[in-house]
Amino acid sequence: MEDFPCPVYVKDAHGVFLGCNSALTDLFGITQEDIIGKTVHALMPEQTAHSFEASDQALLTGRRRTQSFAKGMPTSSGKMVHLAFHKAVFGPRSDMPKGIVGIIVDQTESETRRRSLQEDLNLVREMLVGLEAAYVVVDMENDVIVDLNPVAEALLEESANTLVGATLTEMVCPRMACSECRRCREEPIREWHETEVRLTRKDGLVIPVRKNAFITMRHGRQCMVMVLNDISRRKVLEQQLSIAQRLESLGQLASGVAHEINTPIQYVGDNIRFLKGAANDLFAMVDAVAESLDKLPEPLHKVRETIEDRDYPFLTQEIPQAIEQSLEGVDRVAEIVRSMKQFSHPGNEEMIPYDINSAVKNTVIVARNEWKYSAEVHTDLAPDLPQVVCDPSDMNLIILNLLINAAHAVTDVFGSENPEKGTITISTKKLNGFVELAVSDNGSGIAAENLEKVFNPFFTTKEVGRGTGQGLALVHSAVVDRHSGSIDIETEVGKGTTFRITLPVSQAGGEVSA
């Protein structure tokens, strides 16, 4: 017994130690005199001693002749050790056991390593949760899901109890539009495989997901680990950045074009106004001559014939009308040019006081081609509306997207060639410290099941090519996230919809400009 490397002890049937080796005394920092002839009560705290005594009695009186368990306990120096106890009774099988032989295995180092590995595993799991990364572990032999994390449960909208034990091809693959189904099983054997897929949620919303897959060993079996990241937010930011860059380029281009058009339009307008005055003067001169013809000598009567041959009354009626229509057209072009310059002038993303009423007027003019075939646009703008501290580019996009959305809803009902047109009303109102912007239409309305999803990125009920699912998402982000405002929707299917936006007059650190 003395040569045995592990601590060994022998007890009689009453729990008295009959012997032990030096490995045991070294472990607990005692001598053999401290333990021989004594019970566990003399060596350990009372509660621990009762626990060991109860396990010994269970072994001595039970049908099994061996017993094993692990327990953490302090040594005489106060050091905590993790020990595995393996005990067996001795004596004739036909009679009561004579005592117990015990072997103690110090598992402190292995338990420390196990706990360290568990802490590392927990850290990795928490990091994946923090990174919003879902992982699904699949047994390669039978395609069965064997593990996943809470992020995967949320992304796949299924509980772990439902997914673990189910096959990947049954529960996950049908909802992911993968271009090549076998790639995540074959390529990861050689290298990390990354691709972008589209995941269909239970509510029908399709979201972009980045999928990484690799092969590893788990409990001696080859498994595939599939890591999924919902990249909807990143895609929205990328699209917003792309739109902002395009709008900035278009703004610079439109501003330059508007500037170039403005000068010749001024020339044309000034010249037409001159021609209007000159024509009136000429008509007055001809009228005066015509009235005096009867008093003039006979040869001058040819002047009357010339006036009558040239259909002078027709000219006096049509030329002023042509000039007036030309002036109206020139004024209209000038108005569009001014609106283009104000709407598309590139901004610097600063929060500055901005006239919402002016923004509405400019947007209605610039976006006229979107609504003129299917709707009449009316405005009801509060004359006492204070300026709002905001990003003008954001505000223009908010109004533009709401106007286009209303135009599409009206077109769905009235069409683009119907003599009867729908109605879009844009109104502003002054509130206590806030302003309200409302865009109403008598279009198709929003179904109840879609009402909570209208601001979700990529959600759209429009046909391909007509809607990207980004317009209202951009509106929500600009109003709620960047301007601390709110959006309310009033809608009735077949009757129409009102988007009501409330914005604070001033932002944090901004000034109120009335």
Side-chain angles (χ1 to χ4, degrees):
M1 183 169 65
E2 185 62 33
D3 294 332
F4 203 74
C6 294
V8 180
Y9 64 89
V10 180
K11 292 181 181 181
D12 64 17
H14 301 290
V16 176
F17 285 96
L18 302 178
C20 67
N21 64 357
S22 58
L24 186 142
T25 58
D26 291 343
L27 175 64
F28 289 101
I30 57 176
T31 65
Q32 290 198 352
E33 288 75 15
D34 294 327
I35 189 171
I36 303 299
K38 299 178 182 178
T39 67
V40 71
H41 287 274
L43 303 175
M44 298 179 181
E46 197 65 19
Q47 185 175 357
T48 305
H50 277 300
S51 172
F52 275 92
E53 190 176 58
S55 67
D56 286 348
Q57 287 301 312
L59 180 61
L60 291 167
T61 59
R63 304 179 73 177
R64 298 184 60 179
R65 297 179 64 84
T66 61
Q67 184 186 81
S68 296
F69 62 89
K71 191 174 184 66
M73 55 188 303
T75 63
S76 60
S77 64
K79 177 186 176 182
M80 286 297 299
V81 291
H82 194 85
L83 307 176
F85 293 84
H86 304 281
K87 299 185 289 185
V89 296
F90 63 88
R93 288 182 175 273
S94 59
D95 199 0
M96 289 291 294
K98 300 298 183 182
I100 295 175
V101 177
I103 299 175
I104 303 174
V105 179
D106 187 353
Q107 297 182 325
T108 304
E109 288 188 12
S110 61
E111 177 64 16
T112 300
R113 287 195 297 271
R114 187 194 69 79
R115 289 183 177 179
S116 177
L117 288 173
Q118 185 63 46
E119 289 173 355
D120 290 342
L121 178 59
N122 291 339
L123 176 61
V124 171
R125 285 176 172 169
E126 290 172 2
M127 287 172 60
L128 288 172
V129 172
L131 294 171
E132 297 182 346
Y135 71 80
V136 179
V137 184
V138 182
D139 190 311
M140 293 289 289
E141 183 176 335
N142 52 25
D143 195 42
V144 169
I145 299 172
V146 295
D147 192 18
L148 70 157
N149 67 346
V151 183
E153 292 182 82
L155 182 64
L156 300 173
E157 301 173 292
E158 296 285 1
S159 68
N161 291 336
T162 302
L163 291 170
V164 173
T167 62
L168 181 72
T169 51
E170 174 191 5
M171 296 299 295
V172 179
C173 291
R175 297 172 56 189
M176 289 199 300
C178 300
S179 57
E180 297 179 36
C181 187
R182 295 179 59 84
R183 288 184 67 188
C184 62
R185 291 174 173 79
E186 296 173 352
E187 289 194 7
I189 297 175
R190 301 187 297 274
E191 60 183 14
W192 178 282
H193 172 65
E194 180 175 338
T195 186
E196 188 174 308
V197 300
R198 299 183 75 79
L199 175 69
T200 303
R201 295 176 61 89
K202 285 186 174 181
D203 59 7
L205 181 66
V206 179
I207 60 174
V209 173
R210 188 180 70 243
K211 182 184 74 172
N212 299 294
F214 60 94
I215 299 298
T216 187
M217 298 300 295
R218 183 180 186 269
H219 305 325
R221 297 177 67 87
Q222 191 177 58
C223 292
M224 177 186 70
V225 179
M226 188 164 61
V227 181
L228 306 171
N229 289 89
D230 181 354
I231 56 175
S232 300
R233 195 178 310 164
R234 192 192 79 189
K235 287 291 185 182
V236 170
L237 293 175
E238 288 176 353
Q239 288 201 9
Q240 289 177 345
L241 178 59
S242 176
I243 290 171
Q245 290 172 338
R246 289 201 300 268
L247 284 175
E248 183 175 359
S249 298
L250 288 173
Q252 292 172 340
L253 177 63
S255 181
V257 170
H259 177 74
E260 293 300 320
I261 292 174
N262 192 51
T263 300
I265 283 296
Q266 286 181 346
Y267 295 156
V268 173
D270 291 343
N271 289 335
I272 292 176
R273 288 183 180 86
F274 167 75
L275 290 175
K276 179 181 178 181
N280 290 335
D281 290 343
L282 288 174
F283 292 148
M285 291 168 59
V286 174
D287 289 340
V289 170
E291 291 174 2
S292 304
L293 284 177
D294 293 336
K295 303 175 183 180
L296 295 175
E298 184 66 25
L300 293 178
H301 287 179
K302 291 183 179 180
V303 176
R304 179 186 297 277
E305 295 176 2
T306 302
I307 292 173
E308 292 174 354
D309 289 343
R310 298 297 185 272
D311 201 357
Y312 176 70
F314 173 79
L315 295 177
T316 58
Q317 180 180 353
E318 292 300 323
I319 290 177
Q321 289 184 7
I323 292 175
E324 283 297 332
Q325 290 173 358
S326 299
L327 284 173
E328 289 176 6
V330 168
D331 290 342
R332 176 68 177 157
V333 171
E335 183 183 23
I336 293 173
V337 168
R338 285 194 299 271
S339 297
M340 284 176 59
K341 290 179 67 176
Q342 294 178 18
F343 180 87
S344 60
H345 194 280
N348 52 10
E349 297 186 357
E350 289 185 358
M351 295 288 187
I352 60 174
Y354 193 53
D355 185 350
I356 303 298
N357 285 347
S358 177
V360 169
K361 295 174 184 175
N362 292 331
T363 304
V364 169
I365 293 171
V366 171
R368 186 171 184 272
N369 195 59
E370 292 287 340
W371 54 262
K372 67 179 181 180
Y373 299 108
S374 58
E376 298 287 346
V377 174
H378 303 287
T379 58
D380 181 15
L381 308 178
D384 60 343
L385 195 73
Q387 289 190 329
V388 174
V389 176
C390 64
D391 180 346
S393 297
D394 272 351
M395 194 55 53
N396 289 339
L397 282 179
I398 290 169
I399 301 169
L400 178 63
N401 278 306
L402 290 178
L403 178 56
I404 291 175
N405 188 74
H408 287 175
V410 168
T411 303
D412 289 341
V413 174
F414 295 90
S416 57
E417 298 180 0
N418 190 340
E420 182 184 1
K421 294 185 177 182
T423 302
I424 300 172
T425 303
I426 306 177
S427 63
T428 57
K429 184 190 299 184
K430 178 182 178 182
L431 304 175
N432 185 21
F434 295 85
V435 298
E436 179 185 278
L437 169 69
V439 179
S440 303
D441 66 72
N442 61 344
S444 53
I446 303 172
E449 62 269 20
N450 295 330
L451 197 55
E452 293 184 359
K453 298 182 284 186
V454 293
F455 296 119
N456 290 346
F458 309 107
F459 176 78
T460 181
T461 58
K462 301 169 186 175
E463 64 270 18
V464 176
R466 190 164 174 240
T468 63
Q470 290 299 298
L472 292 180
L474 291 172
V475 169
H476 185 274
S477 176
V479 171
V480 177
D481 299 335
R482 293 199 289 277
H483 290 87
S484 304
S486 63
I487 307 177
D488 294 313
I489 305 176
E490 301 167 11
T491 186
E492 184 177 350
V493 175
K495 297 292 185 181
T497 302
T498 297
F499 284 87
R500 204 175 301 280
I501 292 176
T502 305
L503 294 168
V505 172
S506 62
Q507 299 291 325
E511 297 179 355
V512 177
S513 180

